Amino acid sequence: MSKTVTNSVSARGPADHEVRDQIVVAATEHFSRYGYEKTTVSDLAKAIGFSKAYIYKFFESKQAIGEMICANCLRQIESEVRAAVDEADRPPEKLRRMFKAIVAASLRLFFQDRKLYEIAASAATERWQAALAYEERIRKLLQDILQEGRQTGDFERKTPLDETVMAIYLVMRPYLNPLLLQHSFDYTDEAPAQLSGLVLRSLSP
Amino acid sequence: MSKTVTNSVSARGPADHEVRDQIVVAATEHFSRYGYEKTTVSDLAKAIGFSKAYIYKFFESKQAIGEMICANCLRQIESEVRAAVDEADRPPEKLRRMFKAIVAASLRLFFQDRKLYEIAASAATERWQAALAYEERIRKLLQDILQEGRQTGDFERKTPLDETVMAIYLVMRPYLNPLLLQHSFDYTDEAPAQLSGLVLRSLSP
DNA sequence: CATGTGACCAATATGTATTATGGTCACCAT
DNA sequence: ATGGTGACCATAATACATATTGGTCACATG
């Protein structure tokens, strides 16, 4: 997995500390095995051999720990998507891959790491920083692809970039956002291709 | 409100019967005031002055009553959407109006008839006939607009019609389906215009 | 045959007493 | 300062006994 980044809002005490990492490791293990709700802060404390109170020297709440794990998880998805995009060299294909990778990665999280998925769903519902930041990074990635496509002449240039980004983001959202994805399983097979097709037609110069 | 249609699957006994209508009226009243869950079958029975058992001569379950009310409710939305579409005479504008009307009508249901909205959400979750039929009718309306647009030359004709219908339906779905709409409130202002724009660009010949 | 019901049952919902949990704090040790 | 904890509290989760509810059926009436 990608390097565990620990800086963040809602973190306390020494930013770079062995114990902080231990907490993150233990939390990742416990949350993904037993789920966020079923894991108590005491469980995590026990797992790393310290008292519960000590945990709170590093995180200001249980949710803050959840956010960290969730952030790692979303960063993981993001990097898969980026990797998929990088495999293509022309913007239209990049867009197709992006769509496909988003759906694939999100589905994988759902089916293979249900517990973590549930955290991501909470993050989306409750608008955690991690979720907002993830959305924003995906949006940026989309914007980069569109911008490149405009430069290469693959995409039209009349529509304001912001509008295009927004519209396509809205099209992708049901498959990006865990809350929406849950209700879109019936379409995950066809949606990436169909919607990529539609979007690319809308972008043709 | 549009005429209360009563024929359906999951209806029992005499199809056209005064008491059946009384039940529907009472259910509409109770469900929308107190909600589906909080209303008991006995409440409905009391309201129309019969015994609970008698209700079951007309409906095979409480859910069947819910489906009826929900179906009326969705038909109501559909007719608003159709009315909006009919106001425009050219297919592109029809499409814009359709999108706008769907969002407006669904939001109105949510904010002004929360209890009925919750039934519609259940209908979507549990795949009631009423919800499936509604989706199908909206899809058909969309298809008709697209077909007309192809004839008038407003829309491109290369992409297979089914694909176009499907893709645009997928774009609209987050605002059609009560379950998804709940998670899209942040975008209901801009989405209709932005997405209509994108869709129309994708349809340009 | 059509209209109508009270009594009844399994399953679900509800209220409540009890426990477990998230979170803090004063305090100890190095 | 840094590293670390047990005792404590308000609130949230749990468990369980009790009451409701959805649904059926045999039967009554005209």
Side-chain angles (χ1 to χ4, degrees):
Chain A
M1 194 186 285
S2 62
K3 181 158 181 298
T4 294
V5 183
T6 44
N7 69 24
S8 161
V9 64
S10 74
R12 265 179 184 170
D16 193 25
H17 193 292
E18 194 201 345
V19 174
R20 182 186 294 281
D21 294 342
Q22 292 183 48
I23 296 173
V24 172
V25 170
T28 306
E29 165 73 11
H30 275 69
F31 287 171
S32 75
R33 197 194 293 284
Y34 310 109
Y36 177 76
E37 323 272 344
K38 299 279 179 193
T39 301
T40 78
V41 178
S42 300
D43 291 339
L44 299 180
K46 236 169 280 170
I48 61 174
F50 289 110
S51 74
K52 179 179 63 159
Y54 197 37
I55 301 257
Y56 286 94
K57 300 281 190 197
F58 296 92
F59 293 92
E60 74 178 8
S61 66
K62 181 186 178 186
Q63 177 177 315
I65 306 176
E67 290 214 34
M68 177 115 297
I69 272 59
C70 179
N72 289 337
C73 180
L74 293 177
R75 251 191 302 269
Q76 165 75 14
I77 291 184
E78 185 197 345
S79 79
E80 284 175 42
V81 172
R82 292 202 118 90
V85 167
D86 285 343
E87 275 173 24
D89 51 313
R90 305 214 55 182
E93 185 59 19
K94 277 180 199 279
L95 241 168
R96 273 199 204 86
R97 304 250 176 153
M98 179 175 177
F99 220 123
K100 202 173 155 193
I102 284 174
V103 174
S106 305
L107 282 178
R108 202 174 44 64
L109 183 65
F110 183 88
F111 287 110
Q112 314 210 351
D113 264 319
R114 184 70 57 94
K115 304 294 185 185
L116 293 183
Y117 176 89
E118 282 158 17
I119 301 181
S122 302
T125 315
E126 295 161 35
R127 291 189 156 80
W128 296 0
Q129 274 306 317
L132 298 177
Y134 170 66
E135 281 182 27
E136 204 39 52
R137 293 192 312 264
I138 291 288
R139 215 133 126 180
K140 185 63 170 52
L141 175 59
L142 174 60
Q143 181 172 339
D144 291 344
I145 297 176
L146 291 178
Q147 225 151 12
E148 191 194 333
R150 287 178 174 219
Q151 268 159 15
T152 61
D154 283 308
F155 299 155
E156 60 103 351
R157 262 164 280 189
K158 275 174 308 186
T159 318
L161 182 62
D162 284 349
E163 267 181 44
T164 316
V165 172
M166 184 51 154
I168 300 178
Y169 179 76
L170 285 176
V171 171
M172 290 179 164
R173 210 173 73 94
Y175 310 91
L176 262 176
N177 186 307
L179 287 173
L180 299 184
L181 180 66
Q182 283 179 311
H183 302 294
S184 304
F185 285 146
D186 287 353
Y187 303 101
T188 48
D189 282 345
E190 358 170 41
Q194 301 279 308
L195 290 175
S196 296
L198 182 139
V199 164
L200 287 173
R201 268 173 262 137
S202 83
L203 288 172
S204 73
Chain B
M1 195 188 285
S2 63
K3 182 162 179 295
T4 296
V5 183
T6 44
N7 69 26
S8 162
V9 65
S10 76
R12 265 178 183 170
D16 192 26
H17 193 293
E18 195 201 345
V19 173
R20 182 186 294 282
D21 294 342
Q22 292 183 48
I23 297 172
V24 172
V25 170
T28 305
E29 165 73 12
H30 275 71
F31 287 171
S32 75
R33 196 192 295 282
Y34 311 109
Y36 177 76
E37 323 272 345
K38 298 279 178 192
T39 302
T40 79
V41 178
S42 299
D43 290 339
L44 300 180
K46 236 168 280 170
I48 60 174
F50 290 111
S51 74
K52 179 179 64 159
Y54 197 39
I55 301 256
Y56 286 94
K57 301 280 191 202
F58 297 92
F59 293 94
E60 72 178 7
S61 66
K62 182 187 176 183
Q63 178 176 314
I65 306 177
E67 290 215 33
M68 177 114 299
I69 271 61
C70 178
N72 289 337
C73 180
L74 293 177
R75 252 192 302 269
Q76 166 74 14
I77 291 185
E78 185 198 344
S79 78
E80 283 176 44
V81 172
R82 292 202 117 93
V85 166
D86 286 342
E87 273 175 24
D89 52 313
R90 305 214 54 182
E93 186 59 19
K94 277 181 200 277
L95 240 166
R96 272 200 205 87
R97 304 249 175 154
M98 180 175 177
F99 219 124
K100 202 173 155 194
I102 283 174
V103 173
S106 305
L107 282 179
R108 203 176 41 68
L109 183 66
F110 184 88
F111 287 110
Q112 314 212 348
D113 264 319
R114 184 70 57 92
K115 305 294 183 184
L116 293 183
Y117 176 89
E118 282 159 18
I119 302 182
S122 302
T125 315
E126 296 162 34
R127 291 190 156 79
W128 297 359
Q129 273 308 317
L132 298 177
Y134 169 66
E135 281 183 26
E136 203 40 52
R137 293 193 311 266
I138 291 289
R139 216 136 127 179
K140 184 62 169 49
L141 174 60
L142 174 60
Q143 181 172 338
D144 291 345
I145 297 176
L146 292 178
Q147 224 151 11
E148 192 195 331
R150 287 179 174 218
Q151 268 159 14
T152 60
D154 283 307
F155 299 155
E156 60 104 352
R157 263 162 280 189
K158 277 176 306 189
T159 317
L161 181 63
D162 284 350
E163 267 181 46
T164 316
V165 172
M166 182 54 152
I168 300 179
Y169 179 75
L170 286 175
V171 171
M172 290 180 165
R173 210 173 73 92
Y175 310 91
L176 260 176
N177 186 308
L179 288 172
L180 299 185
L181 180 65
Q182 283 179 311
H183 302 294
S184 303
F185 285 146
D186 286 352
Y187 303 100
T188 48
D189 280 345
E190 355 171 43
Q194 301 280 306
L195 289 174
S196 296
L198 182 140
V199 164
L200 287 174
R201 269 172 260 138
S202 83
L203 288 172
S204 72

